[in-house]
Amino acid sequence: MAAVAAEDSELDVDALRREAETLRSRLEEERRKSNDVQLRDVASKLEQVPSLQMKVRRVLKGHQGKVLAMDWSTDKRRLVSSSQDGKVIVWDAFANKQERVLSMPTTWIMSCAFAPTGDIIACGGLDNKCTVFPIDKDMENPERKKRTIAMHTSYMSCCRFVKSDYQILTCSGDCTCALWDVDSSQLMQSFHGHISDVLCLDISPVHCRTFLSGSSDKTASLWDIRTGRCVHSFDGHDGDINGVKFFPTGESFVTASDDGTCRLYDLRADREVALYTKDCMIFAATCVDISKSGRLMFAGYNDYTVNVWDVLKCVRVGRIYAHDNKVTCLQRSPDGTAVCSGSWDTTLKLWA
Amino acid sequence: MAEPEEVPEMTEEERLTFEVKTLKYQLGQKRIMMSESIPDLIKFVEERMKTDYMLHPPPKSKNPWAEKSKCVLL
């Protein structure tokens, strides 16, 4: 009887596999149907962007190891950065001053985030956790008040506050993303679907009901925060997706990948819309962000540069020899006046 | 502090059932043509380009990152 049951089960698995294959082909077919015009063709009649005037305005020195992540504060002048050396630094970027230096018990802090009020920072990485520290003005010793609010079964690659100081989204090398309540440290929702490490996430700028994830399974997914459902999943990249960022409309997004390219995907047309690359570009793109209007895209690469792309015309319009080692993180300031980049060369730089 | 629920190891059958369900849901999503989506994207960007500081840098007096004047009134 057991042998028959096992055989039946195998048949079921085969049938399911075939069904999944058929569904995937149909999905591809539907996406091909919406591809009736190309972005670069429609944008060819637009004027070229004015030549870039950006210069380095600040060099933030203080980390002793590779800078792995950074996040701007909503106050537009402070930012937080984290490093391989186990330190998390809160900077007043205007004044080029270190406001706080927090020491973590482990090295390789792969992500850090500023809470919307600016009173808390979150960080974590190879410790598989997300830890929060209160850093409001009166807090004398933040390290004493730190709390672990999230646990994964592998490294935590990215953490971000969802609209308020009370909820954090994390993603991990354990292939999942998770939503946590900061006060109770309770897991509120988990997001399953990726078949390899999830490396990055970005929350919708429009309504915070959805978020994007990028994975080393070479796909980017859009998730419904409330239900945990994967609403869209996009392939196309030939390598790990290291960075993912919503377009200001919330209806498109850009990705940066180990395959050396960045891509633009449209959620309404449900497909890849543009590819940003040049023949000579073989180094991984590690991080990406967009200017306030959406016209320019900034991407950091393993060849130590930041490339600036015209999102609409799909051409490179600038190349910044930004650092002396790999660029690992990059984020536009909340008011759109500057871009901050962080690197294995232990510094962060501000461009404006 | 709550630990994440241990994700129960899914059998191959369970994993595929979940995948089929997700794919059916994604297939059922409404799609629009690029010829409708792209012009909207371009319009959005063009409307905001004039106030994009990375395309049109603000004057030094308004640029929070610009160096202050080198001259100091004594």
Side-chain angles (χ1 to χ4, degrees):
Chain A
M1 281 298 281
V4 175
E7 217 179 271
D8 278 346
S9 179
E10 244 180 72
L11 288 170
D12 287 340
V13 166
D14 280 336
L16 282 169
R17 217 172 265 137
R18 277 196 302 273
E19 196 179 355
E21 222 19 78
T22 311
L23 287 166
R24 258 184 248 118
S25 303
R26 280 179 57 197
L27 198 49
E28 246 180 78
E29 189 48 48
E30 290 303 309
R31 284 171 168 173
R32 258 196 292 270
K33 286 185 193 164
S34 47
N35 192 21
D36 56 346
V37 293
Q38 293 292 308
L39 172 61
R40 69 191 323 153
D41 294 336
V42 179
S44 58
K45 54 189 185 230
L46 297 174
E47 268 182 47
Q48 280 185 344
V49 295
S51 63
L52 276 186
Q53 307 279 330
M54 297 178 87
K55 295 198 302 194
V56 61
R57 302 289 181 170
R58 301 286 188 279
V59 180
L60 306 178
K61 290 185 184 169
H63 279 296
Q64 309 279 307
K66 302 168 168 146
V67 175
L68 303 175
M70 55 88 36
D71 190 30
W72 280 95
S73 165
T74 50
D75 71 7
K76 306 168 266 192
R77 68 180 288 155
R78 291 189 305 159
L79 55 93
V80 63
S81 62
S82 63
S83 162
Q84 175 208 15
D85 67 4
K87 300 269 193 297
V88 175
I89 301 181
V90 179
W91 308 83
D92 176 339
F94 271 13
N96 198 340
K97 253 180 31 199
Q98 294 177 27
E99 271 190 8
R100 295 227 190 238
V101 180
L102 302 164
S103 290
M104 288 284 281
T106 53
T107 55
W108 289 92
I109 321 279
M110 300 163 85
S111 183
C112 56
F114 234 122
T117 56
D119 290 340
I120 312 177
I121 58 133
C123 60
L126 270 195
D127 58 0
N128 298 0
K129 302 183 209 172
C130 184
T131 304
V132 294
F133 292 81
I135 55 156
D136 50 282
K137 269 210 186 77
D138 307 320
M139 186 55 56
E140 290 274 318
N141 216 331
E143 271 121 328
R144 287 231 206 94
K145 290 277 177 75
K146 73 178 184 200
R147 280 190 306 122
T148 300
I149 57 120
M151 280 286 296
H152 279 278
T153 52
S154 182
Y155 65 90
M156 188 194 73
S157 47
C158 190
C159 57
R160 282 289 176 265
F161 286 86
V162 186
K163 202 171 186 180
S164 75
D165 288 15
Y166 306 117
Q167 293 189 341
I168 286 187
L169 255 179
T170 58
C171 62
S172 166
D174 67 13
C175 312
T176 71
C177 305
L179 178 71
W180 309 84
D181 177 273
V182 176
D183 284 337
S184 64
S185 306
Q186 278 246 314
L187 172 69
M188 297 177 69
Q189 183 64 263
S190 57
F191 305 87
H192 301 276
H194 281 297
I195 56 176
S196 188
D197 307 21
V198 188
L199 303 175
C200 50
L201 65 87
D202 190 39
I203 299 167
S204 171
V206 173
H207 50 52
C208 300
R209 288 199 299 270
T210 57
F211 74 95
L212 289 163
S213 63
S215 166
S216 57
D217 65 13
K218 310 176 197 174
T219 69
S221 293
L222 181 79
W223 306 84
D224 181 315
I225 288 185
R226 196 182 51 85
T227 63
R229 189 170 243 166
C230 176
V231 180
H232 290 270
S233 190
F234 298 90
D235 53 21
H237 273 295
D238 296 316
D240 298 7
I241 297 181
N242 301 310
V244 75
K245 199 82 193 181
F246 267 101
F247 205 74
T249 54
E251 287 165 349
S252 302
F253 65 95
V254 291
T255 52
S257 165
D258 266 3
D259 66 12
T261 72
C262 294
R263 291 173 205 236
L264 174 69
Y265 293 88
D266 186 302
L267 293 167
R268 293 190 305 157
D270 190 31
R271 55 166 297 115
E272 181 183 312
V273 169
L275 174 70
Y276 306 92
T277 190
K278 286 172 93 69
D279 281 336
C280 52
M281 293 180 72
I282 53 165
F283 287 89
T286 58
C287 45
V288 66
D289 205 345
I290 310 231
S291 72
K292 241 188 162 178
S293 66
R295 186 66 193 262
L296 297 177
M297 177 174 72
F298 295 83
Y301 295 75
N302 275 352
D303 67 357
Y304 315 174
T305 66
V306 170
N307 286 310
V308 190
W309 300 87
D310 179 332
V311 171
L312 302 181
K313 285 182 168 299
C314 307
V315 291
R316 186 171 63 181
V317 293
R319 185 160 202 220
I320 306 175
Y321 293 89
H323 285 277
D324 297 327
N325 209 319
K326 298 180 181 182
V327 180
T328 53
C329 53
L330 181 158
Q331 201 184 108
R332 188 206 80 201
S333 66
D335 58 2
T337 54
V339 171
C340 179
S341 60
S343 162
W344 274 17
D345 72 8
T346 76
T347 70
L348 293 116
K349 291 187 182 176
L350 267 96
W351 311 87
Chain B
M1 182 215 76
E3 296 238 336
E5 295 160 9
E6 276 298 321
V7 179
E9 285 285 322
M10 284 201 235
T11 63
E12 185 64 359
E13 193 175 335
E14 283 166 344
R15 191 190 68 76
L16 284 164
T17 308
F18 182 72
E19 192 177 336
V20 164
K21 194 173 165 192
T22 305
L23 284 165
K24 280 184 177 163
Y25 176 80
Q26 290 174 0
L27 195 56
Q29 294 293 299
K30 181 170 169 265
R31 261 161 224 94
I32 65 171
M33 305 295 279
M34 297 258 272
S35 50
E36 187 186 335
S37 188
I38 286 173
D40 286 346
L41 181 78
I42 294 178
K43 181 163 177 275
F44 178 94
V45 172
E46 289 200 294
E47 280 169 0
R48 285 159 182 78
M49 277 173 60
K50 277 199 207 72
T51 51
D52 187 336
Y53 289 138
M54 283 162 188
L55 293 167
H56 305 286
K60 265 197 174 173
S61 53
K62 285 220 176 113
N63 185 350
W65 305 103
E67 298 95 27
K68 300 285 174 264
S69 163
K70 287 202 167 88
C71 300
V72 175
L73 281 172
L74 293 168

